Amino acid sequence: MARYHPALVALHWIMALMIIMALFFGKVLLSAMSNSDPAKVEGLAGHMTIGLVLGGLLVLRLGVRLLSESPPHAKTGTAFLDRVGAATHWVMYLLVALMVASGIGIAMSTGLFPIVFGASGDPLPESFNGLAPRVAHGIVSTLLLALLALHVLAALYHQFVLRDGLFRRMWFGRRKSE
């Protein structure tokens, strides 16, 4: 078997786009906006929706991954890098789960769900700074961004330096070895 299950392929690329969107919205757009800016509620609604959907997709992805056959882990020719590569995927899953959990923690501790999704009409809290879940959200987002960059660089290294056809494994097509 040379490729991942088609459901894993679809989930990988959908989640990749959603993670990039969530990181961009959170780190670039939302962090620059004041909580008194009316547009921030709309931005938070999108950011929170993406985060909650990512949480559900992560559970689905883990289920499919555990229940389906996967190709052997890609080799680099270096035992240490092979171990790092295998561990990195599970650490990314953990970081996404921590992002979702810390985001829910922020929302629960500040009453954001009814504010953002229109049930209360209350204004946003003056600030999210200093909240433990917010601090965790910021740290984990930075770690996730760094690991995502490493993941992309590793994939490019496999594809263009090692020339091992790594991208085929995480794309659609026949699953049998050719």
Side-chain angles (χ1 to χ4, degrees):
M1 171 185 6
R3 299 178 193 264
Y4 284 91
H5 190 282
L8 284 175
V9 173
L11 288 166
H12 172 271
W13 292 108
I14 291 167
M15 289 179 71
L17 289 172
M18 291 178 75
I19 289 168
I20 291 166
M21 287 172 48
L23 287 169
F24 177 77
F25 277 100
K27 286 201 159 293
V28 176
L29 300 178
L30 292 173
S31 66
M33 296 174 96
S34 165
N35 280 12
S36 61
D37 185 338
K40 187 153 187 178
V41 172
E42 290 176 28
L44 281 171
H47 184 72
M48 290 169 65
T49 300
I50 290 170
L52 292 169
V53 170
L54 274 168
L57 292 176
L58 178 62
V59 171
L60 179 62
R61 183 171 175 173
L62 288 171
V64 173
R65 174 129 188 213
L66 293 172
L67 296 173
S68 67
E69 287 186 61
S70 295
H73 185 73
K75 303 289 184 199
T76 63
T78 305
F80 173 74
L81 290 178
D82 292 347
R83 285 192 300 276
V84 168
T88 296
H89 290 92
W90 293 104
V91 172
M92 279 203 298
Y93 293 149
L94 174 64
L95 292 177
V96 171
L98 290 173
M99 285 298 293
V100 173
S102 61
I104 291 170
I106 296 166
M108 299 283 287
S109 64
T110 59
L112 272 186
F113 286 116
I115 294 170
V116 169
F117 295 112
S120 77
D122 293 336
L124 290 172
E126 190 173 311
S127 174
F128 299 120
N129 297 332
L131 296 171
R134 172 60 191 97
V135 171
H137 204 65
I139 292 169
V140 174
S141 70
T142 300
L143 292 172
L144 182 59
L145 190 57
L147 203 55
L148 179 64
L150 179 65
H151 182 69
V152 169
L153 289 173
L156 293 172
Y157 175 76
H158 273 277
Q159 188 67 23
F160 297 112
V161 175
L162 296 179
R163 298 178 186 264
D164 60 6
L166 182 85
F167 285 139
R168 280 191 313 252
R169 294 161 50 99
M170 193 46 81
W171 198 247
F172 302 97
R174 286 189 13 209
R175 292 190 68 205
K176 302 268 186 225
S177 295
E178 293 160 357

